[in-house]
Amino acid sequence: MALSKNQQLLSKIATNDRHGENSPYFDGWKAYDKNPYHPIDNCEGVIQMGLAENQLCFDLIQKWIRRNPKASICTAEGVHEFKNIAIFQDYNGFKEFRQAVANFMGKARGGRVTYDPNRIVMSGGATGANETVMFCLANPGDAFLVPSPCYPAFDRDCGWRTGVQLIPVNCDSSNNFLITKAALEAAYERAQQDHINVKGLIIANPSNPLGTVLDRDTLRSLVSFINEKKIHLVSDEIYAASVFSTPSFVSVSEIIEEMECDRDLIHIVYSLSKDMGLPGFRVGIVYSYNDAVVNCGRKMSSFGLVSSQTQHLLASMLSDDEFVDNFLKENSKRLAKRHSMFTKGLEKVGIACLKSSAGLFVWMDLRRLLKEQTLESEMNLWRVIINEVKLNVSPGSSFHCSEPGWFRVCFANMDDDTVEVALERIRVFVEKQQVKSKRKFQNNLNLKLSCTPRRYDESVMSPHMMSPRSPLVRART
């Protein structure tokens, strides 16, 4: 097969399609970008419910910044530090920043574990952190198992530039999408039969898109599995402080304190994008218990450092224990309120969601609205929701979900008024679907009746069929 001009001139990375930009997950974003909702300027626009972003606590951060002007080099009170912050910094990062992040990670996990600042490796957001881990642990063609449904951009983060494959471990609604050791073993064995070298297992805990947390027994089972296979476990814990109800979050860091395992196989990815709502700051963290990974990751972080200005500001903010404690408490409280508001609104129109206790989204069940239980039917429904209902929600298939009809819907990246608008659009849509369904049912029923021969009850006869002895007949004669 002849190569295109671009394939001849450019690299395989530049010409392959593994970034995922053409998937429905990103197509929904494009629909929003073309026609973004605004309560005044464009009230018929698309509401962005495909972006897992926390905008509920900006007031707390802004209040802290106003009270601590020295933390910024862009204020009169802090500008005297400008030169020290602006000059070259090595890729280890500011000691104060790493210490502050380590303390925050501990607090986000309820203070049940502590973290060594010397094991913290910086990267450009969780995207860069996940890629850094893959570069450290695997070669092109190697594979990582990933329980599905899973974060769609794992394909990009872990595989686009590294050449690493992701092998889904299918989980389903029969047990609320719980990861089982049997499913892991089956996926591992299939990879072995296909001569694929499995280097590890990557999980998101709390889960994106499910909003669930892994219990201790499941985490123990996962650690035992990777220990037996002598493969790595990467735990993406970027929603660790976005838990708003029970069950509470348990980090893999707690589990390895409770059981024997090879700690060189354990790695954590963290960021401040979700828990603090700061994705624009691009603060990604690799925390590895493997010295070689820490050393290699530090060198690789040259390609995606956190800016020194950001480090300087956050070192001060995250070192303020009173602020951090209040922020974590208030963040959880506000997420719980918003989650309750949104799920109760869905319940009023008969829409259920998977029970969840964490994250910035719900896993919405629209299986009953599918014409058929197929991927094609799911995509048709998704297009209607995008183009007619004007909501950017993400179809389950983009999360490698094996069951059609599930959708991830984000609820923390907007104000209460916009949530109400979204819920009203959903209500109107569901009612229209119900009317269509009833009309279709009635039409089918009428069709059946028109095609069914008449049958008469022998005890009820037409006057023309009555016996002459009938009183009514005698009365007429």
Side-chain angles (χ1 to χ4, degrees):
M1 185 174 66
L3 297 177
S4 68
K5 183 178 180 181
N6 276 344
Q7 288 175 318
Q8 294 177 36
L9 296 176
L10 303 177
S11 70
K12 290 181 180 179
I13 289 178
T15 55
N16 74 30
D17 198 33
R18 291 196 65 187
H19 180 276
E21 189 178 33
N22 297 321
S23 72
Y25 178 70
F26 289 107
D27 284 345
W29 288 32
K30 294 170 188 173
Y32 167 77
D33 287 340
K34 290 178 183 177
N35 184 26
Y37 169 82
H38 187 277
I40 298 172
D41 299 334
N42 190 20
C43 61
E44 299 298 322
V46 176
I47 296 177
Q48 173 62 290
M49 305 190 85
L51 176 61
E53 186 173 71
N54 187 350
Q55 297 185 14
L56 302 182
C57 290
F58 280 145
D59 61 308
L60 302 180
I61 295 175
Q62 290 168 342
K63 183 179 179 181
W64 185 91
I65 291 173
R66 291 190 196 97
R67 290 183 173 180
N68 297 272
K70 287 184 179 180
S72 171
I73 59 173
C74 297
T75 63
E77 293 85 351
V79 72
H80 64 279
E81 287 287 349
F82 182 87
K83 178 182 176 182
N84 294 332
I85 303 303
I87 59 177
F88 173 78
Q89 309 294 337
D90 68 31
Y91 43 67
N92 289 301
F94 292 149
K95 181 179 178 180
E96 297 81 6
F97 172 73
R98 287 185 286 113
Q99 182 65 62
V101 169
N103 290 342
F104 185 82
M105 288 176 65
K107 284 180 177 289
R109 290 150 181 79
R112 296 181 297 274
V113 286
T114 57
Y115 292 92
D116 180 358
N118 293 319
R119 290 196 171 279
I120 285 180
V121 176
M122 293 184 301
S123 189
T127 292
N130 277 313
E131 185 183 63
T132 296
V133 169
M134 292 297 139
F135 271 127
C136 290
L137 303 182
N139 294 311
D142 289 343
F144 265 71
L145 304 178
V146 56
S148 66
C150 62
Y151 173 49
F154 270 164
D155 294 301
R156 173 200 66 196
D157 300 356
C158 300
W160 181 39
R161 299 197 297 185
T162 66
V164 173
Q165 303 179 62
L166 292 184
I167 300 177
V169 179
N170 290 328
C171 307
D172 59 55
S173 62
S174 63
N175 65 351
N176 293 325
F177 300 97
L178 188 66
I179 310 166
T180 65
K181 195 167 184 180
L184 286 170
E185 291 284 1
Y188 184 84
E189 288 305 316
R190 284 196 301 271
Q192 295 294 98
Q193 292 168 11
D194 292 336
H195 306 290
I196 298 172
N197 185 30
V198 177
K199 291 300 295 286
L201 166 68
I202 181 169
I203 61 174
N205 182 35
S207 169
N208 177 6
L210 304 178
T212 55
V213 295
L214 297 179
D215 59 61
R216 270 189 155 75
D217 288 342
T218 300
L219 283 167
R220 284 173 172 272
S221 175
L222 298 183
V223 172
S224 294
F225 174 79
I226 63 102
N227 214 46
E228 291 167 9
K229 306 296 185 188
K230 293 181 173 52
I231 60 176
H232 295 276
L233 173 61
V234 177
S235 183
D236 184 325
E237 300 183 355
I238 65 174
Y239 293 97
S242 297
V243 180
F244 47 81
S245 66
T246 56
S248 58
F249 169 69
V250 179
S251 171
V252 71
S253 298
E254 298 175 55
I255 300 302
I256 64 174
E257 294 288 339
E258 302 170 357
M259 63 183 289
E260 289 291 325
C261 73
D262 183 354
R263 293 195 176 197
D264 279 347
L265 301 175
I266 307 297
H267 321 275
I268 295 171
V269 167
Y270 190 57
S271 110
L272 299 180
S273 297
K274 309 303 182 181
D275 287 346
M276 291 200 72
L278 302 174
F281 278 23
R282 309 309 301 147
V283 178
I285 299 296
V286 175
Y287 188 93
S288 177
Y289 291 88
N290 185 314
D291 291 342
V293 171
V294 172
N295 291 333
C296 180
R298 283 241 169 89
K299 297 169 188 173
M300 287 191 170
S301 68
S302 298
F303 299 99
L305 283 173
V306 179
S307 76
S308 56
Q309 182 180 356
T310 299
Q311 290 186 58
H312 179 67
L313 174 67
L314 292 177
S316 181
M317 183 184 296
L318 300 184
S319 297
D320 186 335
D321 288 336
E322 183 179 355
F323 165 78
V324 169
D325 292 343
N326 179 65
F327 181 90
L328 293 175
K329 181 179 178 180
E330 189 63 25
N331 183 53
S332 178
K333 180 180 175 182
R334 295 183 187 185
L335 283 173
K337 181 180 178 182
R338 176 59 65 80
H339 177 268
S340 176
M341 172 189 181
F342 190 65
T343 53
K344 285 180 179 177
L346 292 177
E347 287 171 8
K348 289 179 180 178
V349 294
I351 295 178
C353 298
L354 184 72
K355 189 176 187 301
S356 59
S357 63
L360 313 174
F361 33 73
V362 294
W363 190 234
M364 183 171 68
D365 183 1
L366 296 185
R367 286 177 292 177
R368 69 182 178 87
L369 297 183
L370 297 182
K371 292 182 179 179
E372 298 175 336
Q373 297 300 311
T374 63
L375 171 60
E376 182 181 2
S377 186
E378 176 184 277
M379 294 308 297
N380 289 337
L381 177 59
W382 173 74
R383 291 186 187 97
V384 170
I385 295 173
I386 287 282
N387 298 321
E388 298 180 22
V389 188
K390 302 292 180 67
L391 299 177
N392 174 28
V393 301
S394 306
S397 54
S398 64
F399 297 84
H400 298 290
C401 184
S402 59
E403 292 182 19
W406 294 89
F407 293 79
R408 191 194 71 171
V409 189
C410 301
F411 58 73
N413 61 326
M414 63 194 78
D415 58 26
D416 287 346
D417 291 340
T418 305
V419 173
E420 293 290 359
V421 173
L423 286 171
E424 176 61 16
R425 290 185 182 183
I426 293 171
R427 183 191 65 77
V428 171
F429 168 66
V430 171
E431 287 182 355
K432 284 183 179 179
Q433 294 296 109
Q434 290 172 341
V435 169
K436 287 181 181 179
S437 180
K438 287 179 181 178
R439 189 177 297 149
K440 182 179 180 181
F441 174 79
Q442 189 62 51
N443 290 340
N444 289 339
L445 182 61
N446 292 339
L447 183 62
K448 286 182 180 179
L449 290 173
S450 67
C451 296
T452 303
R454 288 190 175 181
R455 297 180 184 275
Y456 295 96
D457 189 326
E458 291 180 0
S459 64
V460 181
M461 296 186 293
S462 163
H464 301 290
M465 298 172 63
M466 287 185 179
S467 167
R469 294 182 179 180
S470 168
L472 182 57
V473 172
R474 289 200 299 268
R476 288 177 178 172
T477 57

